[in-house]
Amino acid sequence: MSDLFIGVDLGGTNIKAGLVDREGALVNKVSIPTEANLGRERILENICAAARQAAGDTPLGDIDAVGIGSPGPLDHVTGVVFRSPNLKDWTNVPLAEEVTKRLGVTTFVDNDANVACWGEYWVGAGKGCSTVVLMTLGTGIGGGIILDNRIWRGSTGAGAEIGHMVVVADGEKCGCGGIGCLEVYASAPATVRRFVRMISGGRDSSLASAVAEGGEITASMIYEAACAGDETAKEALEETGRYLGVGVTTIANVIDPEAVLFSGGLAGAADILLPVIRAEVRKRALEPVTENLTIALGALPNDAGVIGAAGCAMDRLGSDG
Ligand SMILES: [Zn+2]
């Protein structure tokens, strides 16, 4: 055994894999296309190819374990992924078993947001903390929770769905079927919808003509406009920050973490979002909770998934067998 692990971050577009040592240092890193539309066999082959490439000159026999962060829902104990809408022919895939068989290395599978949170907890912005929450801000809002030094999965494994915490009792309908979920108010598309509504309501903006022409507006366009002094764009983002602050307040009051961290595409607007989130939490949350709470960007924007998957595998190898 060489005290080396392979972490795999399985995404709909790319598979990232890395060779990670026992201290959480990323020794080697690769990224290859998932080819998600080519079906189960090709995706499994590509996962193994990425793992082999990441191992580099290290023989697979010297790798202690492989960890895979996968979109779910899944059973982390058996390593079976029930389904993943972005991967073709991907229903009830015995992912851990298949990869173990193909690589000859013990493989563990866990939810992608959970392992990313583990990465931040292990060597990132949550290092040294015992309770850490990671919120991934993008098309949706995902999340992972490390509670008292363990990944918190809930009784059915479906927990930590931070994006679906309710922030408006009689609010807008969410894609999950619920009402008033945080995701409907603070994701990237939610920010775009708010901004377009503001323009349609008569607010001026450097993007007003683009909106009027029906052109595509993205959250990063709104962020760039805000940085260039566009007040409407700035307000649209600040409102997103306010809702995030409401969500973080609830998390903080309930589980009292040391750190709530943000990653994902919309976290690129952190210089506007974070001050609003912090102010909102200071205003709303219980005092002892806020005193102990760090609200910040994740420190491993591109590698949390890979490092965390390897770290989870290391942890589970130690505790499972
Ligand atoms: Zn929802």
Side-chain angles (χ1 to χ4, degrees):
M1 292 297 158
S2 56
D3 280 346
L4 288 169
F5 298 81
I6 291 174
V8 178
D9 183 359
L10 173 59
T13 308
N14 291 303
I15 299 167
K16 290 189 263 182
L19 186 64
V20 178
D21 71 14
R22 195 162 271 280
E23 273 68 55
L26 193 53
V27 179
N28 186 35
K29 186 175 111 175
V30 300
S31 177
I32 67 171
T34 308
E35 301 184 304
N37 57 327
L38 296 182
R40 179 192 294 219
E41 187 55 33
R42 178 63 75 89
I43 298 167
L44 285 169
E45 274 175 25
N46 287 339
I47 291 169
C48 294
R52 285 193 188 93
Q53 287 178 31
D57 296 334
T58 306
L60 283 177
D62 286 352
I63 303 293
D64 288 7
V66 174
I68 304 177
S70 164
L74 54 82
D75 181 336
H76 76 281
V77 177
T78 60
V80 173
V81 181
F82 301 127
R83 60 187 172 276
S84 182
N86 296 326
L87 307 176
K88 192 186 167 194
D89 187 25
W90 201 255
T91 308
N92 298 325
V93 179
L95 184 56
E97 188 187 317
E98 285 288 344
V99 174
T100 298
K101 195 169 71 189
R102 288 161 198 243
L103 295 179
V105 183
T106 306
T107 301
F108 299 97
V109 173
D110 218 315
N111 172 275
D112 48 5
N114 284 347
V115 303
C117 189
W118 188 269
E120 291 289 350
Y121 155 81
W122 187 25
V123 292
K127 189 175 177 181
C129 301
S130 61
T131 297
V132 177
V133 176
L134 177 69
M135 296 175 70
T136 53
L137 309 178
T139 310
I141 296 180
I145 298 175
I146 306 296
L147 195 61
D148 295 337
N149 303 300
R150 308 299 309 163
I151 290 179
W152 185 79
R153 301 183 175 89
S155 61
T156 67
E161 285 292 352
I162 290 166
H164 300 286
M165 102 173 77
V166 176
V167 294
V168 182
D170 299 309
E172 295 176 42
K173 205 161 183 343
C174 177
C176 74
I179 289 169
C181 298
L182 178 62
E183 186 168 294
V184 190
Y185 296 92
S187 63
T191 306
V192 172
R193 283 196 300 273
R194 174 180 303 117
F195 177 72
V196 169
R197 267 202 306 269
M198 289 167 79
I199 304 282
S200 306
R203 292 286 303 265
D204 194 23
S205 164
S206 55
L207 293 169
S209 58
V211 171
E213 287 158 17
E216 194 200 1
I217 304 291
T218 64
S220 59
M221 288 164 70
I222 296 172
Y223 173 67
E224 278 163 31
C227 291
D230 190 313
E231 278 301 318
T232 308
K234 185 155 175 270
E235 271 184 49
L237 276 164
E238 285 173 343
E239 190 69 357
T240 290
R242 210 168 70 81
Y243 280 106
L244 288 170
V246 170
V248 173
T249 299
T250 301
I251 294 170
N253 284 349
V254 174
I255 70 166
D256 189 13
E258 291 136 303
V260 175
L261 307 173
F262 294 91
S263 68
L266 191 59
D271 58 330
I272 293 176
L273 295 176
L274 281 181
V276 181
I277 296 169
R278 289 184 185 124
E280 204 63 29
V281 173
R282 251 195 323 272
K283 199 168 70 186
R284 290 171 178 262
L286 300 168
E287 202 170 302
V289 166
T290 54
E291 279 170 12
N292 193 42
L293 177 62
T294 298
I295 298 171
L297 273 181
L300 314 166
N302 300 312
D303 303 326
V306 166
I307 295 173
C312 280
M314 181 176 115
D315 185 65
R316 289 177 63 182
L317 191 69
S319 54
D320 293 7

